[in-house]
Amino acid sequence: MIPQAVLDQWYPVAMTSLVGPWPGRETQLLGRPIMVFKTQSGAVSVQTAQGQAVAVTLAYGHVWACLGTPAQDLFALPEAAQPGRRLVDCGVVRVKCSPLRAVENFLDIAHFPFVHTDVLGAEPHTEVGRYEVQIRDDVDEVWATKVHFYQPQAAKSAAGGIVTEYMYRVAAPTAAVLYKTCPNRTNEWDVIGIFVQPLAEDLCDVYPYMALFDDVTPQADLIHFQQMIFLQDRSILENQIPRLLPLDPGMEIPTQADLTSVAYRRWLKRKGLTYGAQVVAA
Amino acid sequence: MILYDYILSASCYKVRLMAALLGIKLDLVAVDFHPGRAHKSAAFRDLNPAGSIPVLVDGDLVLTESTAMLVYLAQIAGPQWLGEASPQSAARVQNWLAFSGRLNSSLGLARLHDMLHFPADITACRTAGHLCLRELEAHLTQVRLEGRIFLEGTAPSIADIACFPNVALAPDGGVELRDYPSVRLWQRAVRSLPQFIEMPGIHRLHDLKPAPHSGAAA
Ligand SMILES: [Fe+2]
C-alpha cells in the first residue's frame, strides 16, 4: 500500500516540449502505469492504465501529476518567470536508485571535490564551512543557506576558480533546487534543480533543470555541462547501500556536511513520505 | 580540428581521449544529442548524412567514423599508436577496431537504453555484450600470461582506445565487469596512461585508491 500522503504529492512525469498525441509518453508513477499525452485541443493530460485522468500542472518546462488529491499547489519558483533568464531543459536520465536517494545526493555538498573533481570541487579544497539548515514551516520546505565552497569551474560561464555561495532547497518530496552565485550578475542567483519522477521505489527518471543568466554560452554547451555533472553522480547513485533511503536517524552519523540530508530525512519522516525509504532500521 | 561532440557519447569520448593522449587540441562543438536530437536535424545531416556523432572536420577532411578518426589522429601525431609494422599486427589492430563496433552495438546500446530511454532489446544487448567481454577476457588473459597488458603488441595502440570506452561504461547499461579480471586490469592500464582524461562514468585512477580519510564507501 502506498501511503495517502505520498499519493497526494506532485511529481514530474514528462518534459512539456516532448509530449505528443495519444498515447504520448507511456511511463509510470509510484509503480503505476500512466500515459502523458496531448489531447486534440492541445491540453496535456495524464491518465492511469484504467483511463482515469489525474491532476496535472504544467510548470518549469515539465508536466507534474498527482495521483491522489493534491495536498497543496505545486511549489513556487518565481525565478523561472524572471526576464533575461534562460531556461534549459537538460533531458531525462534514468537511474536505478531510490528517488529519495537522487534528491539526497543532489543536496550533498561534500561530494563535489570527489565526484565532480576539477569542475565543482577540487582536492585539497574539500572542507565545507558552517552553514544553516532549517525546515521552514511557513512554506513546508527544507532550506540550507550560507553554504560556501571553492569551485574550479562553478558554471559554464565561469573562467576560473571562485568561492561560490549556495542555497539548497527541497521544494517538493522529489524536487530540489539550488541557488548559487551567478558569475555574470553579482546580485542574482543561478537556479539549478533536479526534478525526480519516482517510477518505483528503486528506479527513477531524473530531469536536470536550469534557469540561468547567461547570454553567451550555446544551449548545447549548457546541456552538456549539466549532463556531465549529473552523469558523474549516476554510477555512485546506482551503487548506494542500502538502496532505499534510511529514515532512521540512528543509522548514519551526521557530519556538518550532512546536515541538509538529515533535515530532508526528518522532513520526509514527519510527513509520512516513505516511498523509496527504509523506515525500519536494518 | 573540430570535433562535433556529445559529452556522454562513448564514441565521442574515444576521439577526445585519443587526442588528449597525443597532445592534440580539438575544438569541441557541443551537439544537443539528448534531448534535442540535433544530430538528426537537416542542418547536421548536411555535414553527416548518417546523422551520427562524432564528426571530425580538419580542413576539407570530414570523418564520420570514430575508428577512422583514431587512425587519422595517430597518423598525424603518434604513428606508434597504429601498432607494429608487421602485416599480422596491422591487420589485428583493424580487427579490434571492427570489434569496437560490436561493443558499441551491444554494451553501448544497453547503456543508451538504460540511461537515455533508447529503444532496444535490452536482454539481447546485454547477452551480446557478455559474449564480447568473454572474447576480450580470453584474449587479455592470454596476453597477461605472455607478460603484456595491451590488446596488441607491447605498447598501447588505437585498438585499446577504440575498445576501452564502451567496456568501461558497461555498468551504466547493467553489465557488471566483476567476472572479467583481466579486462579490469587492462582498463587500469589504460587509465594510467599519461594525459588520460575522464568522462562521466569513467573516473580517473585516484578513485581506485582507498579514500584518504574514511572507511566509508562514499
Ligand atoms: Fe553530484
Side-chain angles (χ1 to χ4, degrees):
Chain A
M1 266 303 276
I2 300 174
Q4 193 61 38
V6 172
L7 295 170
D8 291 347
Q9 301 294 323
W10 291 104
Y11 302 98
V13 292
M15 282 168 60
T16 311
S17 59
L18 296 184
V19 175
W22 173 271
R25 173 170 151 85
E26 297 177 79
T27 176
Q28 60 187 41
L29 179 58
L30 305 171
R32 301 182 183 175
I34 56 165
M35 277 161 289
V36 186
F37 59 96
K38 266 208 177 102
T39 62
Q40 288 189 337
S41 66
V44 173
S45 180
V46 179
Q47 272 186 17
T48 64
Q50 293 74 35
Q52 187 199 349
V54 306
V56 174
T57 294
L58 301 184
Y60 324 130
H62 292 75
V63 180
W64 302 76
C66 170
L67 293 177
T69 308
Q72 67 277 311
D73 289 341
L74 183 67
F75 65 88
L77 188 60
E79 290 82 4
Q82 216 178 346
R85 268 189 205 269
R86 281 173 66 189
L87 309 183
V88 187
D89 276 336
C90 301
V92 53
V93 177
R94 180 156 298 177
V95 189
K96 290 188 249 2
C97 75
S98 155
L100 306 180
R101 283 281 195 197
V103 172
E104 186 209 33
N105 172 73
F106 183 81
L107 302 173
D108 173 16
I109 304 137
H111 80 290
F112 284 174
F114 305 105
V115 178
H116 308 297
T117 314
D118 296 342
V119 183
L120 296 185
E123 298 168 278
H125 307 277
T126 56
E127 63 297 322
V128 178
R130 299 199 69 77
Y131 62 97
E132 293 174 10
V133 180
Q134 57 194 148
I135 297 176
R136 291 189 184 168
D137 289 321
D138 53 336
V139 284
D140 196 18
E141 293 181 357
V142 180
W143 279 78
T145 54
K146 299 180 186 161
V147 182
H148 294 273
F149 213 77
Y150 175 84
Q151 297 195 318
Q153 187 198 358
K156 193 69 202 176
S157 55
I162 49 171
V163 173
T164 304
E165 183 176 350
Y166 282 84
M167 296 189 291
Y168 282 80
R169 169 188 179 199
V170 179
T174 65
V177 178
L178 77 79
Y179 300 83
K180 73 180 187 188
T181 318
C182 172
N184 299 322
R185 293 201 193 186
T186 44
N187 54 341
E188 296 283 359
W189 299 89
D190 276 342
V191 173
I192 295 176
I194 55 162
F195 305 151
V196 181
Q197 174 178 354
L199 300 164
E201 290 206 79
D202 57 358
L203 186 67
C204 50
D205 275 348
V206 179
Y207 306 86
Y209 171 83
M210 298 193 283
L212 312 175
F213 287 107
D214 181 342
D215 305 326
V216 186
T217 313
Q219 186 89 351
D221 287 64
L222 293 172
I223 294 172
H224 281 212
F225 184 77
Q226 197 56 26
Q227 289 189 359
M228 173 184 77
I229 299 296
F230 185 70
L231 269 290
Q232 287 173 340
D233 292 308
R234 184 176 180 268
S235 57
I236 288 156
L237 281 169
E238 296 202 335
N239 288 301
Q240 267 170 336
I241 296 170
R243 289 181 70 77
L244 300 183
L245 183 71
L247 291 192
D248 189 330
M251 286 183 65
E252 287 172 32
I253 300 143
T255 66
Q256 170 75 23
D258 297 327
L259 289 180
T260 320
S261 166
V262 172
Y264 175 52
R265 295 178 196 210
R266 192 174 295 148
W267 180 77
L268 290 170
K269 194 172 183 181
R270 194 168 84 184
K271 292 167 69 74
L273 300 172
T274 53
Y275 192 82
Q278 178 180 300
V279 185
V280 185
Chain B
M1 223 180 294
I2 299 169
L3 183 72
Y4 291 84
D5 182 47
Y6 176 49
I7 186 80
L8 303 184
S9 153
S11 300
C12 294
Y13 169 65
K14 223 181 254 188
V15 182
R16 294 198 302 268
L17 175 58
M18 188 75 253
L21 295 171
L22 290 167
I24 295 175
K25 192 187 164 326
L26 297 173
D27 292 318
L28 301 179
V29 177
V31 178
D32 180 9
F33 179 87
H34 173 83
R37 293 181 62 76
H39 58 301
K40 299 295 182 193
S41 67
F44 195 79
R45 280 189 198 270
D46 283 345
L47 180 68
N48 176 12
S52 63
I53 49 160
V55 176
L56 185 71
V57 178
D58 192 18
D60 292 341
L61 181 72
V62 178
L63 297 173
T64 59
E65 292 294 333
S66 58
T67 48
M69 297 173 205
L70 300 187
V71 171
Y72 183 62
L73 295 176
Q75 286 281 5
I76 293 175
Q80 71 278 12
W81 285 84
L82 295 165
E84 291 159 11
S86 76
Q88 289 84 352
S89 173
R92 280 198 296 257
V93 167
Q94 288 301 316
N95 221 66
W96 287 118
L97 297 188
F99 179 80
S100 74
R102 278 174 60 200
L103 293 171
N104 198 48
S105 57
S106 54
L107 298 175
L109 187 54
R111 174 171 172 266
L112 291 179
H113 172 275
D114 276 19
M115 205 165 77
L116 301 180
H117 301 185
F118 271 53
D121 179 343
I122 186 63
T123 313
C125 285
R126 290 191 186 133
T127 306
H130 276 295
L131 281 174
C132 290
L133 286 169
R134 289 175 60 146
E135 258 183 84
L136 202 57
E137 177 70 16
H139 175 76
L140 286 168
T141 302
Q142 184 59 37
V143 158
R144 274 170 76 186
L145 293 174
E146 293 164 14
R148 296 181 287 119
I149 185 72
F150 294 109
L151 281 175
E152 190 50 46
T154 54
S157 71
I158 55 174
D160 298 290
I161 307 308
C163 295
F164 171 76
N166 273 306
V167 171
L169 295 166
D172 278 353
V175 175
E176 294 303 325
L177 297 173
R178 70 174 83 83
D179 296 334
Y180 306 102
S182 295
V183 168
R184 288 167 56 187
L185 194 68
W186 164 73
Q187 277 194 59
R188 196 169 172 141
V190 174
R191 286 160 71 176
S192 19
L193 292 170
Q195 303 175 76
F196 177 85
I197 54 166
E198 58 214 1
M199 73 165 276
I202 300 180
H203 309 293
R204 67 182 70 178
L205 203 56
H206 77 138
D207 292 357
L208 295 176
K209 296 174 187 159
H213 54 280
S214 79

